[in-house]
Amino acid sequence: MKKMVRGLSMILVLMLSLGAIGCGTRKDAEAESTGTLTAGTYTAEEKGHNGPIAVTVTVSTEKIEKIEVEAKDETPAIAEKAIESVVEKILSSQGLGVDAVSGATVSTEALLRAVTAALEKAGADVEALKNVKAEEIEIEVKDREADIVIIGAGGAGMSAAVEAASLGKSVIIVEKMPIVGGNTNRATGGINAAETFIQEQEGIKDTVETFYEDTFKGGKEENDPELLSVLVENSAEAVDWLNELGAGLTRVSLSGGATNPRIHTPADGSAVGPVVVKVLQEKLEELGVEILMETTATKILEENGKAAGIEASNAQGKTFRIDAKAVIIAAGGFGANSEMVETFRTDLVGFSTTNHSGATGDGIELGQEAGAALDDIEQIQIHPTTDPESGYMFTEGLRGDGAVLLNAEGKRFTDELLTRDVVSANILKQKDGIAYLVTNEEMRAENAALAGYVTKEYAVKYETLEEVAKAIGAEEAAVIETMAKYKESVTSGTDVEFGRTHLEKTLEEGPYYILKVTPGIHHTMGGLKIDTQTHVINVEGKIIEGLYAAGEVTGGIHGANRIGGNAVTDIVVFGRIAGKAAADEMK
């Protein structure tokens, strides 16, 4: 990210210089609000979402000339465009009255704090600068048309767009957020698939049938059998497809609810989501697919009983229409809409969420207005290991790789590799609904995700088990005894206490890294009812012609509980099917 943003800063300076020509009145106002500056270059650093955000601000005596940003730890798909937008607004307005970007709030707030600190060093009147707002450019809107219009630029929507555009169809995506990726940006684990080439190379014996059985059992046998069959049977091809696009998903490990290792991740064990978003976005750029950002679909247009496009509004509230021969709803779930969550699950009042702020169920409501039926709408999953303060989610791949959970008494209380709903329920039974995920240096060296949590200061380092005990408020003897028992379980291959079958690490040597965790709302399994070709089904059980849906906006695939790693499989498998079906069936 460092290279991209620094190059961008130079472009923004050029844009500012060109924009200043012929705008003397505006320039004088800017100089007055900025105050007298001490010319030079100033640096500052603030903590972003994943790590430090450092800025280098160059000023003359009258204006801010250049802003360079280094934010190498931030998620590129989330932070890059957001940082670009904020830097551009600061430079063009010569002020600090710039709002943080929704969806990248933590990163852009840190950027604004860092720029403010640098300007203070330059002698700027920062309070005056905060009152200088960036001028909003009037955006001209016009009606458009395309073969296919897609609502949502998350993993499902982008997969559908790549498939349809590759088949020669014109595609427009509308995305209400200022960044692409949706919840896919936050997918910390991997993508589940069975009978893959990578598994074969690793000597892992897994079958589509076992994958089906694990998912059906994990979903409490409430999954739609036909949709589930499509998911598992197309999973290996989904991994191949992503890797052909450059994803590099070559590492396979175990996750909760799986009989065999089948969750595919980048080679270093880092989060799968940002990688998936990156390769899909790059492919869409190559294909020339237009994405209208900060554009909200407000209505699905209908003509002669068939979906015929959408009505939409831009960030300034101006409405327009996109006429199309097919509409694909891929707007995600509603995990960030507490009111909607609590409507279907009163027991989840007050829970934090792992979802991005745009996961508010808009696509479900649009589908219902078009006559769509719902499936499993009350099925809402909580993820067992999220940060109690921020809701940041920690991959369950850590547990698959060998981590254990302790309570405040220093004792294990569950098989850590049970399904998410069970592990979450067991954590909530502990004092204050809190548990502690125990890892060590051996795991950190092997897992990039854990190394990232250490850098971000979510995972705290302790040299000995005695220090661990003190940190969590437990008796030293209890923690030492618990970890000794676990070592015996790993050595013998039998977990007498809780029946954990995959025992990867003894965790006998420090230093240790501890993550404080609690369950948070993670995935909404219910949504629009679809068939195996992603046609949206109406309340009478019939296909709504020209209307398709894919991803978390749909229901039926995961049943009452989603297995970790299946969401990415879902968005890619059904996103591709939606794109192909819409293209093939176009009339």
Side-chain angles (χ1 to χ4, degrees):
M1 186 169 177
K2 176 178 177 181
K3 181 178 179 181
M4 188 286 302
V5 178
R6 285 196 167 177
L8 173 66
S9 299
M10 295 175 69
I11 294 171
L12 290 173
V13 174
L14 176 60
M15 289 171 61
L16 178 63
S17 299
L18 292 173
I21 297 173
C23 301
T25 302
R26 176 66 178 160
K27 185 175 179 182
D28 291 342
E30 289 167 357
E32 183 179 345
S33 63
T34 305
T36 302
L37 299 171
T38 302
T41 299
Y42 303 88
T43 62
E45 182 177 293
E46 289 285 339
K47 183 180 179 182
H49 193 283
N50 298 339
I53 293 181
V55 301
T56 302
V57 180
T58 302
V59 301
S60 64
T61 55
E62 293 186 344
K63 70 177 184 179
I64 307 165
E65 298 285 353
K66 181 169 64 172
I67 299 172
E68 298 175 276
V69 183
E70 182 174 340
K72 57 183 174 58
D73 294 319
E74 300 301 272
T75 304
I78 297 176
E80 285 186 0
K81 293 294 184 182
I83 287 175
E84 173 183 343
S85 172
V86 170
V87 169
E88 180 175 1
K89 288 177 180 178
I90 293 172
L91 290 173
S92 62
S93 68
Q94 289 292 295
L96 293 171
V98 177
D99 294 329
V101 176
S102 178
T105 305
V106 175
S107 298
T108 49
E109 284 182 346
L111 171 63
L112 286 165
R113 290 196 304 272
V115 173
T116 300
L119 289 173
E120 280 185 311
K121 294 177 183 179
D125 183 347
V126 296
E127 293 307 315
L129 289 177
K130 289 176 182 178
N131 292 321
V132 179
K133 305 291 185 181
E135 288 185 350
E136 189 172 295
I137 300 172
E138 192 76 9
I139 301 174
E140 183 181 350
V141 299
K142 61 180 180 180
D143 292 340
R144 299 165 179 264
E145 63 178 50
D147 291 327
I148 300 168
V149 61
I150 299 173
I151 304 170
M158 290 198 290
S159 293
V162 169
E163 197 70 34
S166 296
L167 292 171
K169 305 302 179 182
S170 60
V171 179
I172 295 175
I173 305 176
V174 296
E175 171 54 55
K176 72 175 184 178
M177 300 299 286
I179 56 177
V180 301
N183 268 343
T184 308
N185 283 319
R186 300 189 173 206
T188 63
I191 174 172
N192 282 337
E195 299 183 24
T196 67
F197 173 71
I198 299 158
Q199 284 177 312
E200 183 181 344
Q201 282 187 314
E202 296 292 324
I204 298 168
K205 295 182 179 180
D206 192 22
T207 66
V208 167
E209 291 75 20
T210 303
F211 186 10
Y212 181 101
E213 291 166 6
D214 285 346
T215 305
F216 196 53
K217 178 182 177 182
K220 303 186 188 305
E221 300 186 357
E222 294 186 23
N223 320 61
D224 181 305
E226 292 184 352
L227 293 177
L228 180 52
S229 293
V230 171
L231 179 81
V232 299
E233 289 168 6
N234 290 276
S235 62
E237 185 181 344
V239 171
D240 290 342
W241 185 70
L242 288 173
N243 282 340
E244 287 169 6
L245 294 177
L249 307 177
T250 57
R251 183 178 186 264
V252 185
S253 59
L254 188 75
S255 65
T259 298
N260 304 307
R262 70 169 66 99
I263 191 164
H264 296 64
T265 70
D268 62 0
S270 58
V272 69
V275 173
V276 170
V277 172
K278 178 178 181 291
V279 297
L280 290 176
Q281 189 174 12
E282 288 174 350
K283 187 64 177 178
L284 290 176
E285 290 174 357
E286 177 188 320
L287 291 167
V289 173
E290 184 177 17
I291 304 178
L292 303 180
M293 305 303 299
E294 297 184 270
T295 301
T296 302
T298 56
K299 182 180 180 180
I300 294 172
L301 302 175
E302 178 265 342
E303 190 174 303
N304 300 322
K306 178 183 181 300
I310 65 169
E311 186 178 276
S313 66
N314 68 6
Q316 297 172 342
K318 294 185 177 181
T319 62
F320 61 101
R321 59 185 286 154
I322 302 175
D323 295 308
K325 299 171 184 175
V327 177
I328 300 173
I329 306 175
F334 57 96
N337 185 339
S338 58
E339 184 178 339
M340 194 170 179
V341 166
E342 292 163 13
T343 297
F344 300 113
R345 288 282 300 276
T346 56
D347 58 316
L348 295 179
V349 173
F351 272 67
S352 65
T353 182
T354 66
N355 289 246
H356 81 113
S357 59
T360 53
D362 308 21
I364 293 172
E365 293 174 349
L366 284 171
Q368 283 185 284
E369 290 169 3
L374 301 181
D375 197 0
D376 291 339
I377 195 65
E378 76 287 352
Q379 302 297 351
I380 299 170
Q381 180 182 71
I382 52 178
H383 192 286
T385 54
T386 73
D387 177 61
E389 294 184 8
S390 67
Y392 188 86
M393 181 178 64
F394 307 123
T395 176
E396 59 195 329
L398 291 182
R399 286 175 281 137
D401 288 348
V404 297
L405 287 166
L406 302 185
N407 59 20
E409 297 175 353
K411 298 177 181 179
R412 286 180 70 218
F413 54 88
T414 187
D415 171 357
E416 292 83 359
L417 294 179
L418 295 174
T419 54
R420 287 173 170 174
D421 58 330
V422 177
V423 176
S424 294
N426 289 339
I427 292 175
L428 291 172
K429 292 175 185 176
Q430 308 310 307
K431 182 182 178 182
D432 299 325
I434 295 292
Y436 300 90
L437 194 63
V438 180
T439 67
N440 68 353
E441 177 61 30
E442 181 184 7
M443 288 187 62
R444 188 205 64 78
E446 297 174 356
N447 191 299
L450 175 55
Y453 302 152
V454 173
T455 300
K456 300 165 195 172
E457 300 180 358
Y458 288 116
V460 182
K461 181 179 180 180
Y462 301 100
E463 293 295 334
T464 65
L465 290 176
E466 287 82 359
E467 289 183 11
V468 170
K470 183 178 180 180
I472 69 175
E475 294 291 333
E476 291 182 5
V479 172
I480 292 170
E481 180 183 358
T482 295
M483 298 307 292
K485 283 184 180 179
Y486 186 71
K487 176 187 174 183
E488 291 174 9
S489 297
V490 176
T491 303
S492 67
T494 302
D495 180 9
V496 176
E497 282 191 292
F498 300 103
R500 177 171 173 164
T501 55
H502 291 274
L503 301 160
E504 302 296 326
K505 305 287 185 184
T506 63
L507 300 175
E508 60 187 303
E509 294 183 5
Y512 296 92
Y513 297 94
I514 310 300
L515 295 110
K516 186 177 182 180
V517 300
T518 194
I521 292 168
H522 182 50
H523 193 91
T524 49
M525 279 80 71
L528 303 176
K529 188 173 183 61
I530 59 170
D531 64 14
T532 57
Q533 288 299 302
T534 72
H535 303 112
V536 175
I537 307 301
N538 68 15
V539 292
E540 298 175 348
K542 298 179 180 178
I543 290 171
I544 300 176
E545 190 176 350
L547 187 60
Y548 307 80
E552 198 174 345
V553 76
T554 68
I557 297 165
H558 304 289
N561 178 63
R562 180 174 66 76
I563 297 295
N566 278 356
V568 183
T569 316
D570 175 3
I571 61 175
V572 176
V573 167
F574 287 95
R576 294 184 69 202
I577 290 172
K580 187 174 188 304
D584 289 347
E585 297 171 5
M586 192 175 298
K587 295 179 181 178

